[in-house]
Amino acid sequence: MAGILAWFWNERFWLPHNVTWADLKNTDEATFPQAEDLYLAFPLAFCIFMVRLIFERFVAKPCAIALNIQANGPQIAPPNAILEKVFTAITKHPDEKRLEGLSKQLDWDVRSIQRWFRQRRNQEKPSTLTRFCESMWRFSFYLYVFTYGVRFLKKTPWLWNTRHCWYNYPYQPLTTDLHYYYILELSFYWSLMFSQFTDIKRKDFGIMFLHHLVSIFLITFSYVNNMARVGTLVLCLHDSADALLEAAKMANYAKFQKMCDLLFLMFAMVFITTRLGIFPLWVLNTTLFESWEIVGPYPSWWVFNLLLLLVQGLNCFWSYLIVKIACKAVSRGKAGKWNPLHVSFSSVSISVLSASYMLERHSELLFHAYCSV
């Protein structure tokens, strides 16, 4: 085990040349990121999960009821032991041959069996009230963390001059605000790991679970090798559009269609501007060129930038889907009726840090938006 740990924490991978872990130990004069700090994310993630349960029950649910959003679910399929066994053990979408066999076995016509399976599938879908509560929680958290990120970054020199992300790297002290920002983001993604098993079940459950894991790895990676300054820029940048998307979903569930369309349009504009404009011209410019000039490359630097380039490729793909969805809705003349929100963009924050979090958050939403057009 000692050999494995020594290999994993190899200084020649993680740190620039002539820098050791001993150089980054905390002193009376300065505090630096320490790997053991990340253990704080576990109890905080549990607290976030509990806050969410309380928020959805005592804040989001009364708001939904005030907006006349009902908890009534879909029509319940009549009990039938044979069909239930087929549904749970074999298939939820029986083919024509199986339908004919069930029709003979039950002495039902095929259309009645198809209707039963449709009702049974709808029975597993959450009510609009449940969807609204989940979206309101996400909206509230995304709005809070983005607002906090903006207020924090306004006071930092690297927001106004990204070269400050690399001056004196990696001997950049860890401030209380920066530490809180990172631990809060990491805790939120750990809480998503917990809540994914109780949330609305989606078809991309496995992909989303993997994305949560990758997001946690990226946040941890950028914290351990003290790339936290540029990490905060990436996190805040990728948090900018998420609250708008959740707000659009809430408007859709409340049947405020014009507001839903407006909010989704705002989301699309912010998403494309930040991902195709600000991210490559601002973040990638500093991680690829300014860091090369000031610090120079080393193994984890290459990993960091390769991940960010992958994120940019995904951003281009998601932006293409958004434009395609919007064009299709307009061309069909259904902009007023279009419901873009029955899924999640998976959303996606990223850096070495935020990279997959966007991947996660935003592909879920986009996928569902695309399916509902």
Side-chain angles (χ1 to χ4, degrees):
M1 181 59 68
I4 293 174
L5 291 175
W7 170 82
F8 180 81
W9 292 111
N10 190 318
E11 294 163 339
R12 298 286 59 81
F13 170 80
W14 289 96
L15 302 174
H17 185 61
N18 290 331
V19 180
T20 67
W21 293 118
D23 297 329
L24 298 178
K25 288 294 183 181
N26 292 335
T27 65
D28 294 336
E29 292 76 24
T31 300
F32 301 103
Q34 306 294 317
E36 54 267 25
D37 296 344
L38 300 174
Y39 289 123
L40 294 172
F42 293 105
L44 186 56
F46 178 76
C47 292
I48 290 175
F49 181 71
M50 298 306 297
V51 169
R52 172 187 173 170
L53 297 179
I54 295 171
F55 178 91
E56 289 187 356
R57 180 170 182 177
F58 296 104
V59 178
K61 187 175 181 180
C63 290
I65 294 174
L67 292 171
N68 295 319
I69 298 175
Q70 302 299 321
N72 298 334
Q75 183 178 356
I76 303 299
N80 187 292
I82 296 175
L83 296 180
E84 184 68 26
K85 184 177 181 180
V86 173
F87 183 87
T88 55
I90 303 176
T91 179
K92 297 180 180 181
H93 299 271
D95 56 22
E96 184 176 348
K97 184 177 180 180
R98 190 175 298 278
L99 287 171
E100 291 177 356
L102 290 171
S103 176
K104 295 178 181 179
Q105 183 177 359
L106 297 173
D107 196 23
W108 288 17
D109 61 83
V110 171
R111 180 168 296 182
S112 297
I113 297 175
Q114 289 176 327
R115 185 185 306 115
W116 188 95
F117 274 92
R118 184 172 59 253
Q119 291 175 348
R120 184 64 181 83
R121 289 193 298 268
N122 291 336
Q123 193 174 316
E124 295 192 337
K125 295 180 180 179
S127 66
T128 303
L129 178 65
T130 302
R131 293 176 180 270
F132 181 91
C133 292
E134 180 181 320
S135 290
M136 188 170 180
W137 160 250
R138 292 176 181 264
F139 167 79
S140 301
F141 184 87
Y142 295 152
L143 182 62
Y144 168 74
V145 77
F146 175 67
T147 303
Y148 179 87
V150 171
R151 293 182 61 186
F152 162 66
L153 287 171
K154 281 196 307 182
K155 301 179 291 184
T156 64
W158 61 87
L159 175 66
W160 314 106
N161 182 358
T162 52
R163 297 176 72 87
H164 281 277
C165 291
W166 311 107
Y167 289 151
N168 199 36
Y169 177 84
Y171 305 106
Q172 297 169 342
L174 179 69
T175 65
T176 302
D177 289 342
L178 194 155
H179 179 254
Y180 171 76
Y181 190 26
Y182 250 74
I183 296 299
L184 180 64
E185 291 274 12
L186 180 60
S187 301
F188 178 66
Y189 291 112
W190 274 117
S191 74
L192 289 180
M193 292 284 288
F194 305 149
S195 63
Q196 190 175 8
F197 297 94
T198 59
D199 281 349
I200 297 168
K201 295 297 186 294
R202 298 184 172 97
K203 295 180 180 179
D204 55 353
F205 177 90
I207 297 175
M208 290 296 298
F209 186 80
L210 177 62
H211 286 169
H212 292 325
L213 288 176
V214 176
S215 299
I216 290 169
F217 166 77
L218 292 173
I219 295 173
T220 303
F221 180 95
S222 60
Y223 185 85
V224 168
N225 69 355
N226 205 13
M227 289 184 178
R229 289 188 176 185
V230 71
T232 57
L233 297 180
V234 182
L235 278 176
C236 190
L237 182 67
H238 286 81
D239 283 339
S240 58
D242 297 314
L244 288 171
L245 183 59
E246 295 301 331
K249 294 171 71 175
M250 291 163 58
N252 174 70
Y253 300 143
K255 301 188 184 303
F256 299 151
Q257 195 59 50
K258 291 184 178 180
M259 182 181 294
C260 169
D261 295 340
L262 175 61
L263 288 168
F264 190 81
L265 177 62
M266 293 170 61
F267 158 75
M269 293 174 62
V270 172
F271 186 93
I272 293 172
T273 301
T274 54
R275 304 313 189 276
L276 300 189
I278 299 175
F279 182 70
L281 297 178
W282 189 44
V283 174
L284 291 182
N285 177 65
T286 191
T287 60
L288 286 169
F289 303 111
E290 293 178 348
S291 65
W292 183 292
E293 176 186 344
I294 297 171
V295 180
Y298 52 98
S300 68
W301 180 93
W302 288 103
V303 174
F304 181 89
N305 281 286
L306 285 173
L307 289 170
L308 290 181
L309 289 172
L310 172 62
V311 169
Q312 181 57 20
L314 292 169
N315 288 337
C316 293
F317 175 70
W318 292 325
S319 299
Y320 162 75
L321 289 181
I322 292 175
V323 173
K324 184 178 180 180
I325 292 166
C327 290
K328 182 179 290 187
V330 172
S331 65
R332 290 182 178 179
K334 295 182 179 180
K337 297 180 180 179
W338 177 44
N339 173 357
L341 303 162
H342 285 333
V343 175
S344 65
F345 211 149
S346 236
S347 237
V348 166
S349 239
I350 336 176
S351 150
V352 123
L353 168 191
S354 195
S356 107
Y357 132 64
M358 261 293 86
L359 183 151
E360 152 202 317
R361 246 186 326 204
H362 290 159
S363 71
E364 184 194 1
L365 289 165
L366 235 244
F367 172 76
H368 294 310
Y370 183 79
C371 291
S372 63
V373 171

